[in-house]
Amino acid sequence: MGVTSVLARWASTSVHVLVVEVPGSDESRMLLEAELDRRGWSVALSPADADLLAVCGIPGNELRTACDLVWNQLPGPRSRASVTTAAALSALLDGAVAHLVDDSRQREDARARSQHVAATDATPDADEHEGMSHEDMDHGGIDRGMDHGAMDHGGMDHGAMDHGGMDMPMPGGIPLAGGGDDRDGLEMDVLNVPLGPVLPHWPAGLVVDCVLQGDVIVSAQARILPAASASASEEAMTGVVDARRRMIRLCDQASQLLALVGWQAAAQNARRLRDDSLRGADLTDHGAELDRLRRRVERSTLLRWSLKGLTLTGSATRDDGADLSIRHRLIGWLREAAELAGTTPGGRPIAGHDANRAQEAQDLLDALPDLLRGTDLGTARLLIAGLGLDTAALRETHERSHD
C-alpha cells in the first residue's frame, strides 16, 4: 500500500463535501447535510478543500457547466455524486468513499485530468469560463471586526470575463482590470465578478454579476440558473405549503445566516431542529427550543454589532415599504418557526402562503441590484442571506411561464 493509498483511507474517515444545490432541491440538500453530520463529515467551503462534489438535483445546462468547472478545480483524490433521492443517500455516500480509496480509479482520473488540461492549454477557449469561475471563494465566515470568522478571498478564479472591451487575458485566463472613475472622480480599477452559483450559504442557482471598483459593488444584475427537472420527492413538496414545511424552511434560512455571520453554535442548533423536523420528529418541544434560540439571538450584543447598518429597503421586504434590518428579519424567522412548532404542525396548510411565495421571491430578486449597489462583498453576502431567497419558487414560475 503506497503513501497515496494511506492518505486516501485516512481522509475517507472525515470526507469534505462541496455541496451544490439545484433550485428546487432544498430537501435533498438538507437531508444530505443531516447525513454528513451523522457521519462526522464536513461541508467544504471551496473546491480546494473538497474531496467529494455532491450535486443535489438535476442541473440545467448552465448550472451543469458551472458544476463541471468546479469539478475540475477539486484536487485528487476526488469523487462526484448526484443526489436525486433520499432513499439511496447512504449507499451513494458509501460508494463515493469506495471511489476515493480506489487507487486504480484515482490514477485513471488523474490521467484524464492531465489530458484535459493539456487539451485546454493547447486550444484555449474563453467560452469555457463564461462567468462561472467564482466558486472557489471561501465565505465560511465574514470578518467585520469580530471573532465570528474570517472571509478568505484568496485564490479567486475569475475566469475570462468582459472588462469594458479589454481582451488581454493573463496566463490562466485571468484578465486585466479595466479603468473607471470612482465617486471622488479618481480612476480606479473596474472588475466584472460573478458571485455564484457555487458558494457556501448561498441561494441555489443564483448568479449575481457584479461590477467592482476595489471591493465595492457599483452595479449588479441577478439571475437564476434553472434546474433541468424536479425529482418526484421535490414535486410532492411544491404544492400547498404546510406548517412543518414552512418551519423547516425558516430554520434552514436562519442557520444559513447565522453560519455566514460566524455564530456556528447557534447555526448548528437551528440545523438540528431543522433536521429533526425533516425526519418527522414530534415537534411538541421544538417551539420552546426555537423560542430560546430567538431570545439568545435577540440578546446577543455581538450579533447586533455584526449586523449593524445592514438593512433591506423597499417594498420587497415589508408590505408597508418600510426598511427592515437583517437582524430583525432573522429574529422574525425564529419567532415564526417557534409559533409553527408550538402548534405541532403535522400537515396543516398555511392559508395564502403558497399563492404569495413566487411573487415574493420575484420581488426580492428584482430588488437585489439596488440593495447591493455601494456595498462591499462581505456585506453583499450578508444581505443576500438575509433575503432568504426562495429560488424553488422562481423555478416554478419559470416553468409555468414556458408551458
Side-chain angles (χ1 to χ4, degrees):
M1 182 181 295
V3 174
T4 301
S5 300
V6 172
L7 291 175
R9 292 184 184 279
W10 175 78
S12 68
T13 61
S14 181
V15 179
H16 287 210
V17 183
L18 185 64
V19 180
V20 180
E21 179 187 346
V22 176
S25 300
D26 54 340
E27 183 194 13
S28 294
R29 188 256 306 164
M30 288 185 278
L31 289 169
L32 173 62
E33 290 175 345
E35 179 65 15
L36 298 184
D37 285 342
R38 189 187 69 81
R39 290 171 177 247
W41 293 5
S42 302
V43 175
L45 300 179
S46 70
D49 183 42
D51 307 305
L52 169 63
L53 176 66
V55 181
C56 299
I58 305 174
N61 291 334
E62 288 184 275
L63 189 51
R64 185 182 302 109
T65 299
C67 292
D68 291 342
L69 180 58
V70 172
W71 168 246
N72 289 331
Q73 295 173 352
L74 263 68
R78 61 179 186 169
S79 185
R80 185 170 182 170
S82 178
V83 183
T84 57
T85 177
L89 182 56
S90 182
L92 186 69
L93 295 180
D94 290 341
V97 171
H99 185 276
L100 281 174
V101 300
D102 190 324
D103 283 350
S104 61
R105 296 176 71 179
Q106 290 299 325
R107 283 196 294 269
E108 182 180 345
D109 178 60
R111 284 194 297 270
R113 184 203 294 259
S114 298
Q115 292 170 0
H116 172 77
V117 170
T120 302
D121 290 344
T123 56
D125 184 359
D127 290 337
E128 292 180 1
H129 303 281
E130 187 180 356
M132 297 299 167
S133 50
H134 197 69
E135 292 78 11
D136 57 342
M137 282 182 66
D138 181 356
H139 295 279
I142 294 181
D143 182 5
R144 306 184 79 227
M146 267 71 57
D147 294 328
H148 279 322
M151 182 175 172
D152 178 11
H153 285 82
M156 289 173 61
D157 175 13
H158 296 303
M161 296 170 286
D162 178 18
H163 289 79
M166 296 187 65
D167 53 358
M168 299 173 61
M170 297 291 286
I174 302 175
L176 295 172
D181 294 336
D182 71 356
R183 289 170 292 187
D184 299 324
L186 303 174
E187 184 174 353
M188 291 187 66
D189 288 342
V190 174
L191 193 63
N192 294 307
V193 176
L195 297 179
V198 184
L199 286 171
H201 318 303
W202 183 260
L206 176 66
V207 176
V208 181
D209 296 304
C210 302
V211 178
L212 298 181
Q213 286 186 336
D215 67 343
V216 176
I217 298 174
V218 295
S219 67
Q221 293 294 326
R223 54 197 171 95
I224 303 295
L225 305 187
S229 63
S231 67
S233 62
E234 289 155 2
E235 289 172 346
M237 299 190 72
T238 58
V240 177
V241 177
D242 61 55
R244 181 183 290 267
R245 174 63 173 163
R246 174 64 176 167
M247 195 203 90
I248 290 170
R249 184 182 297 277
L250 290 168
C251 288
D252 184 58
Q253 291 172 183
S255 71
Q256 298 278 5
L257 180 53
L258 288 166
L260 192 61
V261 174
W263 194 354
Q264 298 300 332
Q268 187 62 33
N269 195 3
R271 275 181 59 175
R272 178 180 59 80
L273 295 168
R274 178 202 74 182
D275 295 342
D276 287 347
S277 303
L278 271 172
R279 288 191 291 265
D282 183 4
L283 303 181
T284 304
D285 298 328
H286 281 36
E289 290 190 68
L290 281 164
D291 198 53
R292 282 195 296 271
L293 178 59
R294 176 192 61 79
R295 290 197 300 270
R296 285 180 62 198
V297 168
E298 225 166 2
R299 290 194 304 262
S300 174
T301 303
L302 192 56
L303 183 68
R304 185 191 299 269
W305 201 92
S306 300
L307 299 179
K308 183 179 179 180
L310 299 185
T311 303
L312 307 177
T313 60
S315 58
T317 57
R318 285 274 291 272
D319 292 338
D320 58 7
D323 295 350
L324 181 66
S325 74
I326 284 184
R327 176 176 168 274
H328 286 119
R329 192 166 173 86
L330 172 61
I331 292 169
W333 290 343
L334 294 172
R335 178 181 291 110
E336 183 182 351
E339 292 171 353
L340 292 172
T343 60
T344 314
R348 180 173 60 83
I350 302 175
H353 182 271
D354 192 54
N356 299 329
R357 182 180 166 208
Q359 186 59 53
E360 178 187 3
Q362 188 61 55
D363 288 344
L364 292 174
L365 188 68
D366 294 341
L368 261 182
D370 290 335
L371 286 173
L372 300 184
R373 190 175 297 113
T375 65
D376 59 53
L377 290 173
T379 300
R381 293 293 313 276
L382 288 171
L383 286 170
I384 291 171
L387 288 176
L389 188 62
D390 185 358
T391 57
L394 291 171
R395 183 209 69 186
E396 294 161 20
T397 302
H398 176 82
E399 289 175 352
R400 285 196 294 268
S401 65
H402 287 78
D403 286 343

